[in-house]
Amino acid sequence: MPAASAGGVRCVDCPLVPSPRWRTVAKELIFAMLAPRHEAVALLPRAARIPVHLRTAYARLGEASRFLNWLAGQGVSSLGEVGSHHCETYLFHRRHVLDEHGTVVGERSPGTRRRAAQVIIDLLNYGELFTALLLYTSDAADE
């Protein structure tokens, strides 16, 4: 492991994603970004062709965790259920700072907004990897 990598970056784990289904999606997404020459990833037309740096993967994992947990909080149990209204609502959620009453009191940084949009794009670009998860919506998998 390079000396420049922080200790937390060395382990790609998703303890912040409580749902096993969503945790699998997050892990598959990150591993696809780290291994773009893998046979399953190389076939994807919109997949990146150069591996991302570990720090980039870790940052994307954090945003993927936020998005997937947010989806779970919205009652979404599979990627096949995600529509443009979910994406727009999540982008609004990540763009604005809300007070305890839900009133917009400010905006988050451009970097935060960019990361929120990027995770949606990443899931679209690598979505074919998650075909089994798109079709599988049984709640029994989460038990």
Side-chain angles (χ1 to χ4, degrees):
M1 185 62 54
S5 294
V9 176
R10 291 181 187 157
C11 179
V12 178
D13 195 9
C14 302
L16 299 177
V17 182
S19 165
R21 182 179 309 127
W22 290 130
R23 190 170 34 249
T24 300
V25 170
K27 286 181 180 182
E28 289 178 344
L29 175 65
I30 297 310
F31 285 121
M33 291 178 178
L34 291 169
R37 292 189 182 126
H38 184 279
E39 61 187 45
V41 180
L43 297 173
L44 300 176
R46 294 184 309 242
R49 302 297 172 215
I50 299 171
V52 298
H53 189 278
L54 281 176
R55 286 188 180 157
T56 301
Y58 190 72
R60 296 227 182 140
L61 177 60
E63 192 63 42
S65 297
R66 280 183 206 88
F67 182 56
L68 297 173
N69 287 331
W70 181 87
L71 286 174
Q74 301 299 306
V76 177
S77 61
S78 77
L79 290 174
E81 297 175 34
V82 177
S84 61
H85 63 284
H86 293 105
C87 298
E88 291 168 4
T89 304
Y90 180 71
L91 293 175
F92 179 88
H93 166 75
R94 290 295 285 149
R95 176 182 184 127
H96 296 96
V97 177
L98 306 176
D99 66 10
E100 64 274 0
H101 305 292
T103 304
V104 175
V105 294
E107 286 195 359
R108 298 186 191 274
S109 72
T112 298
R113 298 190 314 249
R114 184 174 38 253
R115 285 188 300 277
Q118 186 64 55
V119 73
I120 294 168
I121 294 166
D122 290 340
L123 288 168
L124 285 170
N125 289 345
Y126 292 90
E128 292 176 43
L129 289 176
F130 317 125
T131 302
L133 293 170
L134 286 171
L135 301 175
Y136 186 65
T137 60
S138 170
D139 290 336
D142 288 333
E143 296 176 4

